[in-house]
Every structure is written in structure tokens, then in C-alpha cells.
Amino acid sequence: MATLIITEKSSQAKDLRAALGDRYGRILPAEGHLLRLAEPDEVDPAWKRWSPTLLKPDGLFPTRPDQGGNKAAKLQAITAALRACDEVILATDCDREGQLIGQEILEHVGYRGKVRRALFTAQDPKTLRDAFAALKPNDSMRPLYEAAVARQQADQIYNLSLTRTATKTLLAPGTRGVIGIGRVKTPTLAIVCLRELEIRNFKPEDYFEVVATAAVAEGSFQMRHAPAPKDRIKDRTAAEAIARAADNHRGPLTVTVEEKRQAPPKLYDLPSLQKTCGQRWGWTADRTLAVAQELYDGEGKKLITYPRAEARYLSENQIADAPAIVGALTRLRGFAHLDIARPVIRKGKSGHFCDKALEGVSHHAVIPNVNVLDDLESRLVRLTDDEKRLFALICRSYLAAVMPDYEYRQTSVTMPVPVPSAEGGKPVAFRAVGRIPLKLGWKAAFGSAESDDRSGGKAEEEAEQTLPPLTDGESAILTDPKVEAKRTQAPPRYNEGTLVDAMQNAWRFVEDPALRDRLKEAKGIGTPATRAEVIKGLRKQNLLGADGKWLVPTPAGLHLFETLRAAAPTLVDPGTTALWEMKLDEVVTGRADFRRVIDAIATEAERLIGALVGQRGTALDLGLPAAKVRFAGRGAVGRRTTTRGGGAVSGDVAKPARRRTRKVAAPAEGDAAAPKPRRTRKAKGTGSAPPIAAVAAAVAESGPAEASPIPESRRRREPTERMVAFARSLAERKGIALPDPCLHDFDQCRSFLDQHAR
């Protein structure tokens, strides 16, 4: 009897071959989804034309082979193998999406043989052998598969329908672009816009603290009166009164000495890795993922485990790997100084090794790959500087996780100072805190040059004042009091790393307790694998821009957010994902039929379409420049040829070219679809033609087409009003001066737009 094992990716197939050999059968990998959902016009030709329409078929969107990468070849190989086998074992990721990736292939080809399921959360040999020793009937996973189908179909209906509706109803006439709406994308835009509005509306407040020098028999140190934020001193006169009261005040000290310990931070998942790299090196989320991916599967590298991790724990099976990993890493020059004779193993949710924390999770934390330790040095020489940085960070995280706690002695000192007042002189507290390290423990893994961003910060540095020997009740005198003026600060903008973190913790933006809890369980909006792409998509559509390393909404992005928040707040609410997850939970537990869930989400999408149609006339301008148009010969527009990158090159005048369109791939989870070309608007009448900028926009949107002749008088070397207006808008938005020639010279204006409208 022939058995075929289907994995989700090549790395799983390789690990399974190493752990199992051919004991269970032939192993073939997929490459994520080998199938896509059919495009709307493949279901109904009438849907080819964009309009405010609910794109919901009578049944489900059918699947089609995906032609990206080598997906077609892999699907063909699996299909051929299925015809010759009696049994299939699905060994894809054990989550909802993994079940869909494997089972949709069987459904697509109509396989009717026996199917079993292997479930594992790590890919070490023992875990894999245990999973195959406890195979389950795949029928038991049917509810999980149906929930995945519901998610996929609902995203297709919701995202494509609302993206087309928003583009057709909200976009300003004659402007280019697509207003992408998505269950994940639009709330992500909202998170950035809300922070931007918070910053713009922030009103800084002055407040005051008082600092004085405390002298005791064994020396001196600083003490500070700094009330909690709700009790801050906002009146300088009051602060000066406290300073006068403190001057030469003598009184007893209350001294508390505690010995404390601090466990190492959690290991990295992809979001925490992206956040750390963004804060430390200014990397984008996409750059972090790209470097991690190269460390994972780059030729001759494979130094780390799967980078798109959604958990910060390891399985308890991986405890046995700790001595080997530590031994290999401490033989490297950068870690040779660390003394880790016996790795410290912390189990449970407060530690690092926890099976329970990995339930329902496909990928454990990102750590060094135990399988390449024998030739670590030869692999390291192949790394770029960025790869070395990231690998060192992941190594330090793992070493810290198996090192002893950081131990320190903390001394807290307080002194009450009476302040004369009408209320009878209520005393105020001056404080000081000192910290003496006793055992560095895991902190030694990070060293002084590269501190751990997750374990302290400015507040901790301020606490580590060196104090002289002190005894409880000892008398001290305060001298040289000073009033320090401070000012509240607006919250910082997001960079890509902190935005990924905000997406993962999107429950913070939801008020309903039930939705907050469900969003916590779902680990926010999007997935570790898609969040960087969502951010990239928002930037590509000119809804988000960058100010250095900070993300800022463009005027169009802010305008869109305000419009949607007023007309259809569901679209910008992260709680929408929580509601979906609750519906999908009911499918998994058998309390709801997956088709009814799809219908319910489609009904909501139809309601939102109506809300957006009611906003016609919004005239949102994405600020995208019109495509370049070259004039060849008297009164004719040069033919535009579409390049692979989506740009345009001009060519000779020729007969109308056949319009070419790119198929829009089915959206990833929560994403809006990629843009489709828009139809050309024909100019009214034959005696006059639209302005040059309008022609350029039409050409860019519709592809090659024959245009009406443009009279010589309209081809003067002066820029159009639309070009000048757009140039002024760009200059104002970027805070730069608009050169005077741009107002009078077509070429100068076009050059300015080409340079700055990116």
C-alpha cells in the first residue's frame, strides 16, 4: 500500500526525512498555498468591471492552481503521487491555516482515499516521531478545515468587495490608485492614524520635581521628590516652597534593603524580533523578516529555526538540546567568556519550555538550529553583516534563557520633609534607590556594549545610583535643593517594529471585554507571516509614509481614516477580527455551519458597501503622480507599455495595443486585493481633449489605448493647473520650497513631481 506524506514546506519535508526516513511513505512538500481562490471575473464575467457590488458567488469561490514560484510544479508532483497512493498523511502546520493548505489540495483533486493527520509544534526528531506514532483520522480535523475555508472565503468577499467600492466611491475623479480595504489592513492604518491624531492634539504640560543632596556620615547621594503622574507639581511656586523646606532639613532616613532576582526575558517570536531590530537598528519589519529568512534557509546557512514564529516558548522535548547548543555557541569567540556549565531549565509559562503554551501553535520561538552545530564556523563566514547581527541577537537570547537569574541588592531610602502651609505642613517624601549587582547571571550574555532592550531602560538606569553605607533611622541633612522643570511628552510615533507589536496587541484598542480577550487569544490582527506585507501594502498605496524611521499617515491616509471612522467604523476597528474569530470558533466547536458564517460576514460587507456608497463625493486623492506621457508626432499620445514592475515606458505611436491586465491574487488573511487597472473615461466631444495630466492618469489606469488628438495649443510648455496644484501640495506636505520655474515650465514641474512624488 503506497502512502504519501504532504508537508507545508520543504524544511518540514527535510526534517521528516531525517527523523523518519521512508518508514511511513514518500514525502512531498507544498510551498504554502499551492491553490488560490478564483478571481471575481473567473466566477462572473460581469464582475470584471469594478463597481460597488458584493462579490459573493452562489456557492463558494472555487480554487485554481497558483502559478507563483514553483508552486505549479509542486502541485503537479503531488497530484501525480495522489493518483498512485492508497493513503495520505497530512503533516502541514497544526493550526487552521496549515489544515487548509494540506486539505484543499485533496479537495481540489478529488482524492477519496484514507487520510490521517500528524500534529506537531516542533520539528526535532523526537517530536516528529512521537507525532507519527499518534496519527489521527483527518476527519476529526474537518471542523478546523471548514473554519479555515470560512476565513478564506470571507476575506475574499469582504476585502475585494469593499476595496472596489471604496475605490469607485471615495477616490477623486481623474486620480490614480486603489483604496485598499482589508480586515487587517484598514485597522492597521487606524492604529497609526489614531497615534498621529493623539500626537497632534497633545498639549504638553509643565511640571516640576525637586532634587537635593543628602549627606550622611559615610558620604552623600541624591534624593528626589517626584510625585506620581496624577499628583505632579504643576505650580513652580509650590515646588519652590518644597525646595525651601528641604534646604538644611535634618531628619531620620527610612532604609529598606531587599535582595531581588530577575529571570531572563522570553525568547523571540517574529513580532518581538521585528520590534527589537526596529528599535535597535532602525530596520523595517520586512527587512528583519528577510534577514531572518536568509539565516533560516539560505544556501549553506540554515542557522536558525523557522523565523515566522508566533510563540515565545520551546517544547519540553527541546530541553535535551540545550547542552549541545550552549556548548557549540560558547566555543564561538563572542560567547567564549560565558560560564554556563549547566544550563538552567525553566519550565512552564513563567519559563521558556512549556508544551501547554504551544497548544494550537505551529511554530516555537526562534532559536539557533541544533542540527548545524558541527560546522557552525564554516557557515558563519558566509553571513553578511546584517545576518551576523541578527544571528548574534538570537544566540544571546537563547543563552540568556538558560543562564541563572540576575541577582541584585536594592536599597530604598525615604525621608519625609514637612512643608509649611495653611493645611498644617503635610510632609512630602524625598526618595532614592540604589542597586548593587550580586550576580550578573543572564545579563552577562548581553554585555555592556549591547544591552537587552526588553529588560530595563532609562528607569532602571536611574534606579542604579551608588549609595554609601546606610542604616535604618540614620540621620541625614538635605542641602543644595534645586527645582527641575520638566514637560510631558507626546507618545512616540510607530516604527515598523513597534507597529507590528501594536498589531499583535491590538486588543489594547478594543473596549469590549469579550472582544479584548478573544483578540488576545488570536494574538492580534494579521499573522507573523503577513504583518510586514500589510505595512508594505499601506505604504505602496500611499496611505502611510515615512519620516526617517517613523511611520506617519499621509494626508490621504488620514482623510480615509476619518471618512471610514465616520461612515463605517467597523472597518477601522480591530475588534472586527475578534468577532470573526468568535464566529470561526463556533465552526471549530460544531456550533455553527461554516457557510452560514460566510453568509453573515457577506451580509455585513453588503451593509458596509451601502455605507461607503453614501459617501460619494469624498474626493480622496492618494497623491500618486500621473504616469509619464511622451508626445510623438503632432497631436498623438505615445503608446504606453506596461513593465513587469508596474511602471511605464513610452514608445512609438502605433495602432491601439491590446489591453493587458494582471490577475489579482486571492488576498492573504485580512489583506485587501492588489490593484486592478481601471477603465478609461472617454473625453466628451471631439473638438477638445482633457488636460495633459488627466490624459496621463487615464493612460496609467487603463493601459495602452488610442486617445483623442490633442491640439497644438494644449501642448504648450506650460504645466497644467492640475500639475501645479499637485506640486504645491507635495511641497507643502514635505516642507520644501516649490521652485519658481515649476509654476511656468512644463519640464521643470514634471521633473519636480518625478523627484518628490514617490
Side-chain angles (χ1 to χ4, degrees), residues 33 35 37 60-63 90 92-112 115 117 119 137-154 584-590 592-595 597-598:
H33 288 279
L35 301 164
L37 293 186
L60 301 176
F61 277 96
T63 53
L90 293 183
T92 49
D93 290 349
C94 66
D95 58 6
R96 191 171 66 201
E97 209 64 20
Q99 187 65 30
L100 176 62
I101 286 170
Q103 193 164 340
E104 69 180 352
I105 297 173
L106 306 182
E107 300 282 341
H108 181 78
V109 302
Y111 181 78
R112 293 294 175 262
V115 184
R117 187 67 162 94
L119 299 172
N138 191 57
D139 287 347
S140 65
M141 310 298 290
R142 184 78 194 180
L144 189 67
Y145 168 69
E146 290 181 345
V149 170
R151 193 284 307 160
Q152 184 188 48
Q153 295 279 332
L584 298 175
D585 289 344
E586 293 179 352
V587 175
V588 173
T589 56
D593 177 75
F594 78 104
R595 293 176 186 271
V597 169
I598 296 169

Side-chain angles (χ1 to χ4, degrees), residues 55 185 516 693:
L55 304 172
K185 180 176 287 184
R516 284 169 65 94

Side-chain angles (χ1 to χ4, degrees), residues 496-507:
E496 288 204 15
T498 54
L499 180 55
V500 165
D501 182 69
M503 294 169 74
Q504 186 180 34
N505 295 286
W507 56 269

Side-chain angles (χ1 to χ4, degrees), residues 3 5 16-27:
T3 298
I5 301 169
L16 279 173
R17 291 186 189 110
L20 306 174
D22 58 0
R23 189 185 323 164
Y24 288 88
R26 185 182 180 190
I27 302 170

Side-chain angles (χ1 to χ4, degrees), residues 565-579:
R565 182 166 63 165
T570 302
L571 291 175
V572 298
D573 185 2
T576 298
T577 285
L579 287 169

